[in-house]
Amino acid sequence: MKKTLKWLAPLLIALPLSACGGDEPPPFDERENLLTIDDQSPEIPNEIVVAEVLAESAGYVVIHDADDEGELGEPLGTLPVEAGSASDLTIELARPLLDQELLYGSLYLSEDDAETFEPDDALLAIDRGEPVRVQFTVSIEVEEIAPALVAEDQIADPINEVVIAEVASDVDAWLVIRADDEGTPADVIATASLEAGSYEDVRVILSRDAFEDETLHASLHIDAEPEDDFDPESDIVVTVDEEPLTTSFVVTLPELQPVATISVDDQSVSFEAADSIVIAAAELQGFAGWIAIYADDEGEPGDLLASELFSAGELENITIALDEALAASATLHARIHQESPADGDFTYDGESDEDPIVVVDEAPVMATFDVTLIDPSAPQLTVEDQLLESLPLNEVTIAELVYDQDGWLAIYDAEDTLLGAVAVAADPAVKANIVAPLNRDIEDGEALRVVLHSDITAGDAFDADVDLPVLDATETGVEASFIVELLENSLEARDQSLDEVSTEVRIDALHAGESVILEIFAEADESVLLAEAALDYGIHQDIALTVGRPLEDGEVIVAQLFKLEEGERVPAEDEAGDPVRVTFEVTVPDGTPAVFLTFSSNGNSYRVSAVRPAGYVDIVDGGSTTDDPTLTLFRGWRYGINNTVYSANPLQFGHPSGIAGLDFTSLISQDESGSYNGDSQVNRVADGQRIWFTLTQDLVDANINTYRSADTPILMRGDLDIEDAPTLIER
């Protein structure tokens, strides 16, 4: 922002002269304030040396840059000085200087401390009626940039990013990452555009996840046509001594504890179906893996009977074919192995490290189960007591039925009232997990009975008088009794560290025995609601809730369940009749943002591809597919940004000025241009492509209203809408 200086007119002082013995006037050249800064070539490009300073009272020497018209610009550095004289003082500046850059040095007299001092013309020191201000020029030795490319073997974390330790180019260039094909660079899996210059620790996002022990190849290519995409034909590789500038490196994956589970029920199969088993459920988080089936050897896995590869994810009711059909009932083991190396072959032998056993909490992820071979001509019915974990409340599950004819399973209550019937087919002879719908909801703790009936007339509805009960070899009806229980209201929440965002808490588990409303509020102030969620009957786990304000370190938070009665919220109760309520403490590390955004690019525009927590997604006007969207930021809140296109488009936050807004005042930035980058209250932290800052009132007063790319400032820029923090709802 250009500042107009009010030059003070010289003061005319009439001094009486005496021809005979009067007081002598002071010497005309006696100085009260003085500042001398010579043209210089600083060894450190962000430091200058003040040759001499004389101040009649305490004050500050301030170094300003020059604006586009060569007039006084923004402050770059401040140095406090005491009354009196000093020489050879060094001032550290907020950014490196440019070769032949014009600078201003000014002496200000002020008793303010360094935290609150701001240069003001009213404080400008005066000597002989003139402001104490000097101009000087710096000469910075500009070294030739020698092309360089250094990449080290590394752990990819996250697994779709790599870091290039050093890149240098004297022209605009493309940094290109390729996969390996038997030692030769192959498919392009990442590119990053770089302006001429030297860079360290450049993060490059891959188009896919890296593999364990994968060799990758990096190369540097001249950007033949600026602002277009990488073209391997026109963007030729940079050479040094007539050799292509390339390097190779090996990527390993973080040693993360694999997360996996497996559940297998005991099962009965006919002799004809003894060539496969069913896995009830399994989960592989973040890795592909094998489910291997083993025979039993004195309680431990023995001979391998089957193996099948699965991608990461959740699995349910998976049928795995055995290499050979079982000849008799047996105990088997199902165990999960990690697919490593990724070759599609199961090569675990217990000695090498290939396809290792997945271990969680120091135990192999394994399930042991019994397989019983049965005669399908002998009807059998198995049903277990059950807890209804989700809606609807008018269904029960029959664990297993052995019956090789068409029939009916009829469900009766304790008064022998028919609640429902489900048809069963002759094939397959062994049927599992049969869901039977009922004509009313279950009552908690209700005793029910399931009876197998024949199907006398195929295709008609169940008729108890016609479709008679099936009898076993002892002339006894095939039936079973069981108890059905409903959920009781309960809550579980642990103390938690909010190290990613301070506006999201998690509830570990919630059992809702009815429709409930989960409320979140602070124990210190129960009058306002921080978050709420309406939940149906069922088991809910790992619930993420966006809260209405940043939480503070050490706050105790309350989670409580409520229900609606005649339109009013009343506390929900547990089995003992007590309110369902838990408290937990949050730890909020210093510098934790309230909201974290991920910036990406769509050609020549920024896009905000993700917002954490999701409850604040509305601060991005138009959503994740909008180019350069308007962002709503709340004064006083802290923000974090992962700018995935940082290397080509570092962010600046500030305000435009001048004709058509072509000039720009950078207040916070990922480069060194932000005038508030060093402000302790803003607490700007920059870590490569990530930046954190607090939106202070000083920034608001400085008119922060725009974000833009430092390198593509005209095309990539969007508005900031600064608002007060959201108002919390009264409870």
Side-chain angles (χ1 to χ4, degrees):
M1 176 175 169
K2 180 178 176 182
K3 183 179 291 185
T4 302
L5 303 179
K6 297 179 180 178
W7 297 92
L8 301 178
L11 299 175
L12 299 178
I13 304 176
L15 300 176
L17 301 178
S18 172
C20 53
D23 293 337
E24 292 294 328
F28 184 74
D29 61 352
E30 183 176 336
R31 311 298 295 262
E32 295 179 337
N33 297 295
L34 174 68
L35 179 64
T36 303
I37 306 178
D38 301 324
D39 294 342
Q40 54 195 276
S41 300
E43 294 182 3
I44 301 175
N46 66 333
E47 290 184 355
I48 62 99
V49 175
V50 176
E52 183 180 3
V53 61
L54 172 67
E56 60 182 304
S57 65
Y60 293 86
V61 175
V62 180
I63 306 300
H64 294 254
D65 63 10
D67 63 16
D68 293 340
E69 298 177 2
E71 298 184 10
L72 191 75
E74 297 294 331
L76 296 180
T78 303
L79 181 69
V81 293
E82 300 293 335
S85 62
S87 59
D88 296 329
L89 304 177
T90 299
I91 300 182
E92 184 176 349
L93 307 183
R95 63 167 173 81
L97 299 173
L98 305 175
D99 186 40
Q100 300 304 309
E101 185 170 7
L102 174 65
L103 299 175
Y104 289 85
S106 306
L107 176 62
Y108 295 86
L109 303 180
S110 173
E111 297 297 333
D112 292 346
D113 59 55
E115 292 291 333
T116 60
F117 174 74
E118 291 187 8
D120 189 296
D121 290 347
L123 303 175
L124 193 60
I126 303 297
D127 185 72
R128 299 180 179 182
E130 296 291 339
V132 180
R133 174 169 288 145
V134 298
Q135 292 182 358
F136 62 99
T137 303
V138 293
S139 300
I140 305 296
E141 185 176 346
V142 180
E143 297 182 2
E144 267 189 40
I145 299 177
L149 182 60
V150 177
E152 300 172 347
D153 294 346
Q154 59 193 270
I155 298 173
D157 188 10
I159 60 175
N160 68 332
E161 287 186 14
V162 294
V163 177
I164 305 303
E166 181 182 344
V167 185
S169 175
D170 56 356
V171 297
D172 292 349
W174 284 99
L175 174 59
V176 178
I177 310 296
R178 296 178 185 269
D180 179 78
D181 183 9
E182 297 182 354
T184 302
D187 296 336
V188 174
I189 60 173
T191 59
S193 61
L194 302 173
E195 290 189 350
S198 299
Y199 303 87
E200 293 182 353
D201 297 332
V202 178
R203 285 184 171 271
V204 185
I205 299 177
L206 308 180
S207 60
R208 60 164 173 78
D209 292 344
F211 300 136
E212 179 70 18
D213 293 327
E214 180 178 18
T215 297
L216 297 179
H217 303 270
S219 54
L220 200 59
H221 297 249
I222 297 173
D223 188 5
E225 296 184 28
E227 298 186 7
D228 70 340
D229 294 333
F230 170 68
D231 184 346
E233 299 296 328
S234 61
D235 299 328
I236 61 174
V237 68
V238 174
T239 59
V240 175
D241 296 332
E242 299 183 357
E243 292 293 328
L245 185 58
T246 62
T247 187
S248 301
F249 57 100
V250 176
V251 173
T252 55
L253 302 185
E255 293 185 5
L256 300 176
Q257 176 71 44
V259 177
T261 60
I262 189 167
S263 174
V264 187
D265 298 326
D266 293 340
Q267 46 203 275
S268 301
V269 297
S270 63
F271 285 94
E272 291 78 7
D275 57 353
S276 64
I277 55 95
V278 175
I279 306 297
E283 182 178 10
L284 291 74
Q285 289 189 17
F287 70 98
W290 295 86
I291 296 181
I293 310 300
Y294 295 90
D296 180 71
D297 183 6
E298 296 183 355
E300 297 294 330
D303 293 337
L304 179 67
L305 303 181
S307 59
E308 189 166 341
L309 179 62
F310 295 92
S311 300
E314 297 182 1
L315 309 171
E316 289 186 357
N317 296 324
I318 299 298
T319 299
I320 296 181
L322 302 178
D323 296 338
E324 296 182 3
L326 297 175
S329 299
T331 296
L332 303 181
H333 305 272
R335 190 167 65 191
I336 295 182
H337 293 251
Q338 187 171 359
E339 163 71 338
S340 177
D343 56 7
D345 293 325
F346 185 66
T347 52
Y348 172 80
D349 59 9
E351 296 180 359
S352 70
D353 58 358
E354 294 187 357
D355 298 331
I357 301 169
V358 174
V359 175
V360 173
D361 295 333
E362 300 182 356
V365 180
M366 186 174 70
T368 300
F369 58 100
D370 292 327
V371 178
T372 303
L373 298 187
I374 60 169
D375 179 1
S377 63
Q380 299 177 34
L381 182 60
T382 303
V383 63
E384 299 171 348
D385 294 342
Q386 48 202 273
L387 173 68
L388 297 188
E389 297 184 350
S390 62
L391 295 175
L393 301 181
N394 64 339
E395 289 183 352
V396 294
T397 301
I398 313 309
E400 186 176 85
L401 172 66
V402 178
Y403 190 53
D404 60 358
Q405 300 180 46
D406 293 340
W408 291 93
L409 288 174
I411 313 299
Y412 299 88
D413 65 13
E415 284 75 35
D416 283 336
T417 301
L418 179 66
L419 301 183
V422 59
V424 291
D427 187 36
V430 179
K431 303 166 243 304
N433 298 323
I434 304 166
V435 176
L438 309 179
N439 57 25
R440 65 167 173 82
D441 286 350
I442 298 295
E443 297 177 4
D444 186 37
E446 188 168 11
L448 301 180
R449 184 168 57 97
V450 57
V451 179
L452 176 62
H453 290 254
S454 60
D455 186 8
I456 300 301
T457 305
D460 68 344
F462 173 68
D463 184 343
D465 294 330
V466 176
D467 300 321
L468 299 178
V470 175
L471 304 179
D472 61 17
T474 65
E475 299 297 317
T476 302
V478 180
E479 61 180 65
S481 298
F482 59 103
I483 303 294
V484 183
E485 294 183 340
L486 303 183
L487 293 170
E488 295 290 341
N489 292 326
S490 66
L491 268 176
E492 293 180 21
R494 293 169 292 178
D495 294 345
Q496 48 202 270
S497 178
L498 309 184
D499 51 4
E500 294 186 9
V501 290
S502 62
T503 52
E504 184 178 76
V505 296
R506 308 189 86 87
I507 303 300
D508 294 320
L510 185 157
H511 289 189
E514 56 196 320
S515 294
V516 295
I517 300 168
L518 170 63
E519 289 190 2
I520 305 294
F521 47 91
E523 186 179 57
D525 182 9
E526 298 192 4
S527 65
V528 293
L529 190 65
L530 296 179
E532 65 177 347
L535 301 165
D536 287 331
Y537 175 97
I539 296 177
H540 308 273
Q541 295 180 316
D542 196 23
I543 306 169
L545 294 159
T546 299
V547 297
R549 65 165 172 82
L551 299 182
E552 299 177 2
D553 185 44
E555 270 198 278
V556 176
I557 305 301
V558 181
Q560 184 169 350
L561 294 186
F562 292 82
K563 61 181 179 180
L564 289 178
E565 286 187 359
E566 298 180 355
E568 297 291 331
R569 291 190 185 187
V570 298
E573 298 179 344
D574 60 18
E575 189 174 9
D578 297 322
V580 184
R581 173 184 172 119
V582 296
T583 61
F584 56 95
E585 183 176 338
V586 295
T587 301
V588 185
D590 289 342
T592 300
V595 179
F596 194 88
L597 304 99
T598 299
F599 272 54
S600 57
S601 173
N602 179 33
N604 291 322
S605 301
Y606 280 122
R607 286 188 173 180
V608 180
S609 54
V611 178
R612 171 82 184 275
Y616 286 108
V617 68
D618 288 344
I619 69 172
V620 182
D621 187 21
S624 60
T625 59
T626 300
D627 292 339
D628 298 327
T630 296
L631 303 181
T632 299
L633 303 184
F634 304 125
R635 70 184 75 224
W637 285 28
R638 186 164 179 80
Y639 292 88
I641 296 174
N642 178 19
N643 179 14
T644 63
V645 292
Y646 158 74
S647 61
N649 294 287
L651 279 163
Q652 292 178 327
F653 296 83
H655 62 84
S657 58
I659 300 174
L662 295 179
D663 295 333
F664 190 80
T665 299
S666 177
L667 301 175
I668 316 168
S669 64
Q670 289 188 285
D671 56 20
E672 299 303 317
S673 65
S675 58
Y676 281 80
N677 280 1
D679 186 279
S680 61
Q681 299 302 310
V682 171
N683 189 19
R684 172 257 197 191
V685 177
D687 174 17
Q689 68 188 36
R690 294 175 290 252
I691 181 173
W692 295 263
F693 63 90
T694 300
L695 185 60
T696 63
Q697 185 60 46
D698 286 347
L699 281 175
V700 177
D701 293 342
N703 197 26
I704 186 170
N705 61 22
T706 303
Y707 66 91
R708 73 170 195 173
S709 164
D711 294 349
T712 319
I714 304 302
L715 295 175
M716 301 180 72
R717 69 162 62 192
D719 294 332
L720 299 176
D721 182 11
I722 309 302
E723 296 184 358
D724 291 332
T727 302
L728 298 176
I729 300 172
E730 292 187 5
R731 294 186 62 236

